[in-house]
Amino acid sequence: MTIVAVVVLLIASFFVLAFRIFIRNKQNQMIFENTELICEEIENNGESFLEPLSLDYFISYIIYKKDNLKTVETNDPLLPKLDFTQGKTKKYFQKDFYSDGDLNLLYCTYETPGGYIIQTSIDIDNDASIEMVNQLPLIAAISFLPILLISFLLSLIISKRTLEPVKEITKTAQGISSTNLETLLPVSKNNDELDELAGTFNQLFENLKKDFDREVNFTSDVSHELKTPVAGILGQANLLKRWGKEDPKQLEESLDLILKEAHSMESIINNLLQISKLENGIVKPLLTSVNLWSMFARLKNEFTALFPAVKIIFNENIDLNIETDMELLHQVLTAIISNSVKYGASEVELTGTDLAETIEIKVTDNGPGFSEEILSHIFERFYRGDKAHNREAGGAGLGLSISKTIVKVLGGNLQARNCRTHQGAEVIIEL
């Protein structure tokens, strides 16, 4: 409101100033034009002024000789002879000059070649345009209060209409918590900035809801995964405490099971710590030039030693290098191949393709592939591809989740699908 009022006042002041300058220039022009007419009259008739000069009615003039200051002609005998202005205009003011008022002149003096001094002037106090200009500041001052009041009312109406959706958004947002993240902020459908803001927050809440649900499920899965080995350890410990320690065979079996379950817990915890370090940027990739042929050959030797029945094939003539972290990439490929072997694949093919801006690495197997219901979940933590989440297949279901995180840290993308040419799974790494 204040800004609007000040702006209006400044505009009015600027208008008054500009109008005043325009009037002054117009007055100067009139004085100079009438002075020029007098000069032409003197040049044509000399001192033979039989009648007063035909000038604008508001122009006062006096013509006198320079040498003796004798007045030759004037249309106002009371006009004083004023200081020489050298062809420019000046203001002259004398209080109580007339019996009924002051003398307030804008005048100009000019010397002709014949020795005459021409003094032309305008009575500023009697100039209607000047009087109007002088009244403008008072008019502006009087109109300032209504302008202030009108701008206040308009600002109040506009701000109320503008802030009403904000109040609704604020009220709704105050009631949103982790238990009702599905609540959406109201959208007025005016397609304005507030609708855009509310839509952005609604999208944020939806993402938070997904993340929150995922973390809740993750916590539940962690509890479930750790509960099984803990239950096994406690069961065997109680068994040993009651009577098993007297039986050497039972003691050996119980200790073996306790060690197995402890290692399982250790593996889960270490995997979760690695995911956390990767996601929080604690683990930084060590970029080196990695030759894919060497990487594929290393993987083939490792899996052939562990699973002689599984065939690892790749193009022996491949000559492709990529700037990446060799050990992290090896961990990803190991997890993918292990997953194929775990679910019954007898043949795994490794390929590498240069796609100009990216390198594409494919791991293709001849296993059962992915069912449609689990394909969108295979990179989720603790997901094993079976509805019961049992532990028969081995592992904790973190291998592909860690792989997804590692590939993201390496600046790439990891996706999975079923083979298009034959039965089997296909996992694609783009770096």
Side-chain angles (χ1 to χ4, degrees):
M1 177 195 68
T2 305
I3 291 174
V4 171
V6 169
V7 168
V8 171
L9 187 61
L10 289 175
I11 292 175
S13 301
F14 174 78
F15 172 75
V16 171
L17 180 61
F19 193 44
R20 188 185 295 275
I21 293 174
F22 172 77
I23 295 298
R24 175 56 55 84
N25 291 335
K26 194 69 176 176
Q27 290 173 332
N28 291 340
Q29 181 182 354
M30 292 176 180
I31 290 174
F32 292 144
E33 288 178 352
N34 283 275
T35 301
E36 187 176 348
L37 289 174
I38 295 173
C39 289
E40 291 178 357
E41 187 69 23
I42 293 175
E43 184 178 348
N44 294 332
N45 301 319
E47 295 185 18
S48 57
F49 298 110
L50 301 178
E51 296 180 359
L53 297 174
S54 177
L55 303 176
D56 292 330
Y57 70 93
F58 48 80
I59 293 292
S60 300
Y61 69 91
I62 180 172
I63 305 171
Y64 58 92
K65 294 289 290 185
K66 180 181 179 181
D67 51 2
N68 57 14
L69 302 182
K70 179 183 176 183
T71 300
V72 176
E73 181 67 29
T74 182
N75 64 352
D76 187 352
L78 298 178
L79 279 178
K81 297 179 177 67
L82 304 175
D83 295 336
F84 195 62
T85 65
Q86 299 181 343
K88 299 179 181 179
T89 58
K90 282 187 178 182
K91 290 184 69 175
Y92 176 80
F93 177 81
Q94 184 175 342
K95 189 172 180 62
D96 298 326
F97 181 82
Y98 299 108
S99 59
D100 58 348
D102 305 326
L103 179 64
N104 190 7
L105 299 178
L106 178 68
Y107 75 99
C108 169
T109 57
Y110 177 76
E111 181 181 354
T112 67
Y116 291 99
I117 301 297
I118 303 172
Q119 177 183 303
T120 51
S121 60
I122 293 178
D123 189 346
I124 297 177
D125 288 342
N126 292 324
D127 191 333
S129 58
I130 289 295
E131 185 177 354
M132 181 175 62
V133 171
N134 291 334
Q135 293 296 322
L136 284 177
L138 179 60
I139 296 173
I142 295 174
S143 62
F144 180 74
L145 289 178
I147 291 174
L148 197 65
L149 179 60
I150 293 172
S151 62
F152 169 74
L153 294 175
L154 288 176
S155 301
L156 189 63
I157 294 172
I158 294 172
S159 62
K160 278 191 173 182
R161 291 187 59 185
T162 304
L163 294 179
E164 192 63 33
V166 176
K167 292 180 180 179
E168 295 181 9
I169 291 174
T170 303
K171 183 178 179 180
T172 305
Q174 288 174 341
I176 296 177
S177 65
S178 59
T179 59
N180 61 343
L181 285 174
E182 69 279 357
T183 303
L184 299 180
L185 300 180
V187 179
S188 64
K189 298 182 181 180
N190 291 329
N191 295 323
D192 56 11
E193 290 81 357
L194 290 176
D195 280 355
E196 184 178 355
L197 178 64
T200 302
F201 274 112
N202 287 337
Q203 185 63 47
L204 172 64
F205 292 144
E206 290 178 5
N207 295 335
L208 287 175
K209 174 67 174 173
K210 293 178 182 177
D211 291 340
F212 187 77
D213 291 343
R214 184 165 56 249
E215 291 306 316
V216 169
N217 293 333
F218 171 70
T219 304
S220 175
D221 290 339
V222 170
S223 302
H224 175 77
E225 293 295 330
L226 292 179
K227 185 186 297 183
T228 302
V230 167
I233 292 172
L234 290 175
Q236 295 300 320
N238 288 327
L239 179 64
L240 291 176
K241 186 175 181 180
R242 288 197 304 270
W243 58 271
K245 57 186 175 182
E246 305 298 336
D247 185 347
K249 181 180 179 181
Q250 182 61 50
L251 177 62
E252 187 69 21
E253 290 179 356
S254 295
L255 289 176
D256 287 341
L257 184 58
I258 289 173
L259 284 174
K260 179 182 176 182
E261 296 297 346
H263 286 311
S264 176
M265 291 176 62
E266 181 184 34
S267 176
I268 292 173
I269 293 171
N270 288 336
N271 287 334
L272 291 175
L273 285 175
Q274 185 180 18
I275 291 177
S276 177
K277 290 179 180 180
L278 289 169
E279 290 179 341
N280 294 325
I282 298 175
V283 175
K284 301 291 184 181
L286 180 61
L287 300 181
T288 59
S289 180
V290 178
N291 183 268
L292 288 187
W293 184 89
S294 300
M295 176 66 71
F296 292 166
R298 174 183 172 184
L299 292 166
K300 180 178 180 180
N301 292 334
E302 292 171 350
F303 278 91
T304 301
L306 293 173
F307 307 99
V310 177
K311 185 178 181 182
I312 307 293
I313 59 175
F314 63 92
N315 184 0
E316 299 287 346
N317 297 320
I318 187 173
D319 185 17
L320 197 58
N321 295 314
I322 181 173
E323 289 288 328
T324 189
D325 189 304
M326 181 174 64
E327 293 306 321
L328 290 179
L329 179 59
H330 177 268
Q331 181 178 346
V332 171
L333 291 171
T334 299
I336 295 172
I337 298 173
S338 298
N339 207 61
S340 297
V341 174
K342 186 187 303 180
Y343 287 98
S346 60
E347 182 177 293
V348 178
E349 181 180 4
L350 307 175
T351 59
T353 308
D354 187 354
L355 300 179
E357 294 184 0
T358 59
I359 298 293
E360 182 182 82
I361 302 173
K362 286 184 182 179
V363 181
T364 308
D365 65 37
N366 63 347
F370 304 108
S371 64
E372 292 299 325
E373 61 183 13
I374 72 169
L375 189 56
S376 60
H377 301 286
I378 59 173
F379 293 115
E380 294 179 4
R381 299 168 188 174
F382 300 111
Y383 196 84
R384 294 196 185 89
D386 61 295
K387 296 180 180 179
H389 267 193
N390 60 57
R391 299 165 57 87
E392 294 177 0
L398 289 171
L400 291 180
S401 178
I402 294 176
S403 299
K404 182 79 170 180
T405 305
I406 290 175
V407 172
K408 185 177 180 180
V409 169
L410 294 177
N413 182 44
L414 181 64
Q415 55 182 316
R417 65 191 182 195
N418 287 314
C419 293
R420 298 173 179 175
T421 57
H422 61 273
Q423 180 178 335
E426 187 175 69
V427 180
I428 303 169
I429 306 171
E430 292 180 350
L431 296 174

